């Protein structure tokens, strides 16, 4: 019982990071209909920005906020300067450009920060060995609790943004029909740039939390979380923000349970495999994810 | 500007000239160049074969796959295991690898029947990430040797080929690997050409351009998609076998076995020209040249390159690849082959035969 509770709790905490990143993918997909393959690498570069601000002497919380601002500028800038222009030429081109950004950002981070000794990344939350409470016998580390609260808070804010504000309405309008949205006077360009910016800023936040968990920064920081996030977005359905969050948490809990209860077979190495096989099976039966809407095409 | 009729003696002369030029280069490389240079060309040939296989699925059929590194790995591991543990003669491993990869490719294509675009990209992404993880899995270590991979895969006797004579030593092996890769490249090219120009190939392009219309016209979507995925996987596995035979090593983190491999194949195909037969060939040669040239850039370089990249100890090779990819997408959306065709059209125009004229006339 304690073990089960422990796995579920750890899973929910990790899952909330996946959910945050997955939400970024979904925001971009709903806005522009593209998969941003470089989402993880953009988050990674923003985490290095955060680290740099902190190294210059700013308090960590301020650095993280500045990192998120840098993420917003980076995301919006990429959309305006590259994605928008290439999308006019070809749809597949956007995918190719995002792969190019994946390579470019990864290499750039290595070139700028890679030669320093491994960066120590401080955690946003208390992370000394004895920073935990025991609830029903399970260890609840403050860091994990903090991550979960921040992630849930941000997701709550996002849902308010989508559902209650004029900007959110504009975003939904652009997502459902860009042509008509433009006709009724919505500045589609601004909305699209902002979606990319928001997604990248969320990436920056999850990057700071992943970096704090890992304790050090490398250019590979966000690769595995990105794979988990894309698995979550796929499982939940790429056009469903709620689905992405639920799927992220499910994958987090599922992999902890699988790794914990079958250490001989699955263990730590095959945790990722469990997530990937799950989406493979789900897609066989529900091709647009658990909560995604089926696309109906007019012939 | 010159106009040449298709099939006229002038057209044939141009074609012969082209083939002769290529043949000259192909023979010149292993006879005149250094062993390391020959190795780079063999590497390029391996990558070209892989990119050609990807081109069948992505370029011609329009199904995004970033999972081809797994098929490459399947080929590589099949060869290594069969040669080292079971004492197979290397030649037969090509057949075994192709059959295994064909079956796996068909299985992976099954969800591809129902899912499209972004979801398919992510399923194949999952395959690419899953393969190295599975290979490293401790329950499979008896087969794959886990994380350290399989090394010193050796074939003892190099067959004596008629014209090349006896090849000996390290240099001889490099030349042998070069010719082996070249022969396989030609075979792969001919297979792709045969597929694409056939009825099957037309249905691939029809699926790419409009799936619904293709189905209405009588293309069997299920069979076509599964078969093309299988065939593509089999061809990619051949590249994997070749790579293992050439280097004698395969590891789960090997260059083209991880997701990075899939990205490299995609890059080669896009840079050369997706959906063209010559695209992967041009792209592969350009990629290997660019990679080998830019790898050395860094703090030791001088001049413009030193100014641009001298501030970092790490090689900017990957960054430059990324930039090149973006530039290509903007400047030449149809790849280098598209660009060359456009420029060539300003010099020589090949006028196609009017339709129907080559039919035998029936007497009246």
């Amino acid at each position: 019982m304690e073990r089960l509770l422990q796995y579920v709790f750890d899973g929910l905490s990790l899952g909330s990071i996946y959910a945050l990143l997955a939400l970024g993918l979904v925001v971009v997909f709903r806005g522009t209909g593209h998969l941003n393959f470089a989402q993880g690498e953009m988050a990674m570069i923003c985490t290095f920005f955060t680290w740099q601000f902190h190294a210059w002497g700013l308090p960590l919380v301020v650095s993280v906020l500045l990192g998120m601002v840098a993420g917003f500028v980076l995301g919006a800038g990429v959309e305006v300067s590259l994605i928008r222009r290439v999308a006019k030429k070809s749809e597949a081109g956007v995918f190719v450009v995002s792969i190019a950004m994946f390579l470019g950002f990864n290499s750039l981070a290595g070139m700028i920060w890679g030669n320093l000794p491994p960066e120590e990344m401080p955690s946003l939350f208390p992370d000394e060995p004895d920073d935990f409470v025991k609830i029903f016998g399970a260890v609840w580390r403050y860091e994990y609790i903090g991550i979960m609260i921040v992630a849930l808070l941000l997701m709550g804010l996002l849902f308010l943004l989508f559902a209650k504000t004029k900007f959110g309405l504009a975003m939904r309008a652009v997502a459902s029909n860009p042509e008509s949205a433009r006709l009724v006077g919505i500045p589609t360009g601004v909305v699209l740039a902002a979606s990319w910016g928001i997604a990248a800023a969320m990436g920056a936040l999850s990057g700071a939390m992943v970096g704090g968990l890992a304790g050090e920064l490398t250019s590979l920081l966000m690769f595995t979380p990105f794979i988990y996030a894309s698995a979550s977005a796929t499982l939940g359905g790429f056009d469903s923000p709620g689905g992405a969050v639920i799927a992220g948490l499910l994958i987090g809990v599922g992999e902890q349970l699988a790794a914990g209860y079958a250490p001989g077979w699955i263990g730590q190495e095959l945790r990722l495999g469990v997530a990937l096989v799950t989406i493979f099976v789900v897609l066989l039966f529900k091709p647009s994810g658990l909560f995604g809407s089926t696309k109906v095409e007019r012939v | 500007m010159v106009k040449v009729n298709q099939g006229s003696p002038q057209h044939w002369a141009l074609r012969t000239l082209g083939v002769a030029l290529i043949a000259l280069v192909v023979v010149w490389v292993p006879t005149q160049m250094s062993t390391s240079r020959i190795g780079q060309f063999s590497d390029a040939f391996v990558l070209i074969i892989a990119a050609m296989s990807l081109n069948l699925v992505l370029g011609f059929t329009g199904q995004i796959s970033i999972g081809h590194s797994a098929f490459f790995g399947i080929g590589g591991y099949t060869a290594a295991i069969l040669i080292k543990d079971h004492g197979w003669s290397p030649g037969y491993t090509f057949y075994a690898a192709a059959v295994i990869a064909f079956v796996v490719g068909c299985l992976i294509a099954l969800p591809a029947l129902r899912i499209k675009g972004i979801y398919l990209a992510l399923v194949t992404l999952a395959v690419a990430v899953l393969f190295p993880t599975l290979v490293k899995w401790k329950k499979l270590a008896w087969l794959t040797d886990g994380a350290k991979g399989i090394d010193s895969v050796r074939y003892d006797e190099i067959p004596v080929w008629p014209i090349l004579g006896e090849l000996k030593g390290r240099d001889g092996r490099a030349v042998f690997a070069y010719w082996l890769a070249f022969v396989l490249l030609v075979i792969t090219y001919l297979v792709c050409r045969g597929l694409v120009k056939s009825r099957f190939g037309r249905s691939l392009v029809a699926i790419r351009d409009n799936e619904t219309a293709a189905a209405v016209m009588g293309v069997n979507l299920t069979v076509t998609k599964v078969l093309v995925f299988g065939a593509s996987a089999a061809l990619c596995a051949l590249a994997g076998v070749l790579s293992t035979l050439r280097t004698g090593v395969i590891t789960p983190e090997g260059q083209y076995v991880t997701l990075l491999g899939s990205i490299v194949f995609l890059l080669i195909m896009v840079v050369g020209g997706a959906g063209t037969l010559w695209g992967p060939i041009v792209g592969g040669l350009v990629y290997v040249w660019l990679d080998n040239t830019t790898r050395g850039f860094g703090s030791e370089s001088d001049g413009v390159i030193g100014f641009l990249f001298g501030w970092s100890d790490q090689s900017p090779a990957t960054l430059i690849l990324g930039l090149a990819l973006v530039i290509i997408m903007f400047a030449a959306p149809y790849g280098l082959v598209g660009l060359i065709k456009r420029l060539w059209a300003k010099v020589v125009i090949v006028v196609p035969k009017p339709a129907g004229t080559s039919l035998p006339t029936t007497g009246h």
Side-chain angles (χ1 to χ4, degrees):
Chain A
M1 186 60 208
E2 279 159 33
R3 260 174 86 192
L4 176 69
L5 201 63
Q6 184 72 57
Y7 293 143
V8 170
F9 171 68
D10 289 352
L12 284 178
S13 177
L14 287 177
S16 56
I17 295 184
Y18 307 152
L20 208 55
L21 262 179
L23 212 47
L25 287 173
V26 169
V27 167
V28 164
F29 182 76
R30 272 164 59 101
T32 48
H34 302 306
L35 168 65
N36 181 11
F37 201 74
Q39 179 95 352
E41 301 310 294
M42 282 161 74
M44 179 271 295
I45 263 233
C46 294
T47 313
F48 271 105
F49 283 140
T50 305
W51 174 85
Q52 189 69 63
F53 292 134
H54 186 61
W56 282 334
L58 292 169
L60 188 58
V61 177
V62 179
S63 312
V64 171
L65 288 177
L66 280 179
M68 288 174 73
V69 173
F72 187 89
V73 174
L74 182 69
V78 158
E79 202 277 331
V80 172
S81 61
L82 290 178
I83 303 298
R84 183 173 301 183
R85 285 159 208 265
V86 96
K88 274 185 209 148
K89 293 180 189 246
S90 79
E91 280 295 307
V94 178
F95 185 68
V96 174
V97 165
S98 76
I99 282 185
M101 292 196 301
F102 174 89
L103 295 174
F105 285 136
N106 192 296
S107 172
L108 205 58
M111 285 171 72
I112 299 176
W113 290 287
N115 297 309
L116 311 168
E119 264 54 275
E120 297 250 326
M121 183 74 189
S123 175
L124 275 165
F125 315 100
D127 64 341
E128 295 299 316
D130 54 350
D131 281 333
F132 64 84
V133 285
K134 273 202 157 184
I135 302 177
F136 302 122
V139 175
W140 297 54
R141 294 186 55 81
Y142 292 155
E143 189 174 20
Y144 279 42
I145 299 176
I147 286 174
M148 212 155 35
I149 292 174
V150 169
L152 290 178
L153 217 65
L154 193 79
M155 288 177 222
L157 280 177
L158 265 181
F159 280 107
L160 281 182
L161 178 77
F162 285 147
K164 299 285 177 201
T165 65
K166 210 164 176 191
F167 180 74
L169 189 65
M171 274 180 88
R172 280 184 289 148
V174 173
S176 80
N177 193 336
E179 301 276 306
S180 316
R182 197 173 298 129
L183 280 178
V184 295
I186 293 171
T188 27
V190 177
V191 170
L192 292 184
S195 328
W196 276 71
I198 291 172
M202 284 160 58
L205 181 64
S206 39
M209 297 198 292
V210 173
L213 269 183
E216 62 171 35
L217 294 188
T218 65
S219 58
L220 292 172
L221 180 76
M222 295 308 280
F223 182 71
T224 314
F226 168 73
I227 302 287
Y228 276 116
S230 57
S232 310
T234 315
L235 184 62
F238 248 91
D239 51 356
S240 157
V245 172
I246 294 172
L249 296 176
L250 273 180
I251 285 184
V253 174
E255 58 149 4
Q256 288 292 324
L257 289 178
Y261 280 111
W265 273 93
I266 294 166
Q268 292 303 310
E269 314 113 65
L270 225 62
R271 266 170 50 189
L272 186 59
V274 174
L276 298 178
V277 171
T278 315
I279 59 166
F280 202 82
V281 174
V282 168
L283 285 183
L284 260 179
F285 296 101
K286 280 204 59 112
S288 46
L290 288 177
F291 304 97
S293 50
T294 321
K295 207 171 160 192
V296 181
E297 230 174 300
R298 186 182 296 189
V299 180
Chain B
M1 198 168 67
V2 193
K3 281 191 179 175
V4 180
N5 287 318
Q6 193 185 12
S8 65
Q10 293 94 323
H11 188 217
W12 277 106
L14 269 177
R15 281 180 160 185
T16 316
L17 193 68
V19 172
L21 269 177
I22 293 169
L24 197 67
V25 173
V26 167
V27 175
W28 190 63
V29 168
T31 47
Q32 301 297 323
M33 284 182 164
S34 66
T35 304
S36 71
R37 199 56 86 181
I38 297 172
Q40 286 172 13
F41 269 92
S42 316
D43 198 29
F45 291 167
V46 169
L47 288 173
I48 290 170
I49 294 171
M52 277 181 170
S53 76
L54 179 64
N55 200 13
L56 272 185
V57 166
L58 213 168
F60 289 106
T61 323
Q63 311 288 309
I64 294 181
S65 166
I66 36 179
H68 269 57
S69 56
F71 303 133
F72 190 93
I74 288 176
Y77 267 97
T78 307
I81 292 165
L82 286 180
I83 293 172
K84 209 165 174 207
D85 297 353
H86 302 274
W88 278 42
S89 153
Y92 292 109
T93 59
F94 283 106
Y95 303 102
V99 170
I100 294 174
F102 181 83
V103 174
V104 175
C106 288
L107 286 179
I108 289 171
L110 283 179
L113 300 174
R114 298 192 59 190
I115 57 184
K116 291 174 195 170
I118 189 170
Y119 289 97
L120 183 58
L122 284 160
V123 165
T124 54
L125 171 72
V127 171
V129 177
L130 202 54
F131 182 74
T133 326
L134 271 183
V135 168
K136 279 188 282 186
W137 192 24
K138 50 185 178 285
K139 298 277 173 197
L140 281 178
W142 58 274
L143 188 68
T144 59
D145 264 358
K148 79 174 174 31
I150 303 174
D151 59 356
S152 44
V153 181
R154 284 269 162 267
Y155 45 97
D156 290 329
E157 71 286 353
I158 300 176
V160 181
W161 284 14
I163 307 165
L164 299 175
E166 209 172 340
L167 298 164
K168 277 210 175 100
R170 208 175 139 261
D171 296 352
R173 270 179 198 282
V175 173
F176 174 71
Y178 171 88
W179 284 111
L180 186 64
F182 178 71
V183 169
L184 215 63
L185 172 63
V186 172
I187 293 173
T188 311
Y189 173 81
L190 291 177
V191 168
C192 288
R193 192 186 146 90
L195 280 180
V196 169
K197 305 240 163 178
S198 69
R199 181 190 163 88
F200 182 70
R202 307 272 183 236
S203 51
L204 297 183
V205 175
I207 290 177
R208 177 188 70 190
D209 292 343
N210 189 334
E211 212 172 299
T212 319
V216 172
M217 297 292 281
V219 173
N220 187 335
L221 293 182
T222 314
V223 173
T224 313
K225 277 188 187 173
V226 168
L227 279 185
V228 76
F229 228 95
S232 167
L235 287 177
C236 198
L238 295 186
V241 176
L242 205 53
S243 162
T244 302
L245 288 183
R246 198 176 83 74
T247 58
V249 188
I250 183 144
T251 62
E253 300 298 331
Q255 231 181 339
Y256 308 124
V257 179
T258 57
L259 176 67
L260 204 60
S262 294
I263 293 181
V264 169
F265 306 155
L266 185 91
L267 194 141
I268 288 174
M269 192 199 72
V270 171
V271 168
T276 61
L277 282 168
W278 279 87
I281 298 177
V282 176
L285 294 173
V286 168
Y287 168 79
V288 170
W289 169 78
L290 196 67
D291 193 47
N292 280 300
T293 316
T294 54
R295 203 143 289 272
F297 289 2
S299 41
E300 271 102 65
S301 317
D302 39 302
V304 184
I305 292 161
F307 174 73
L308 280 176
F309 303 112
W311 50 272
S312 175
D313 299 352
Q314 294 208 354
S315 157
T318 317
L319 178 68
I320 293 175
L321 278 180
L323 288 176
L325 201 53
V326 172
I327 293 171
I328 287 279
M329 281 325 290
F330 278 97
Y334 299 102
L336 291 174
V337 166
L339 192 71
I340 294 169
K341 270 188 190 156
R342 217 169 64 205
L343 296 179
W344 183 243
K346 295 196 174 151
V347 186
V348 176
I349 291 181
V350 176
V351 183
K353 269 185 209 159
T357 45
S358 62
L359 288 174
T361 43
T362 43
H364 275 288

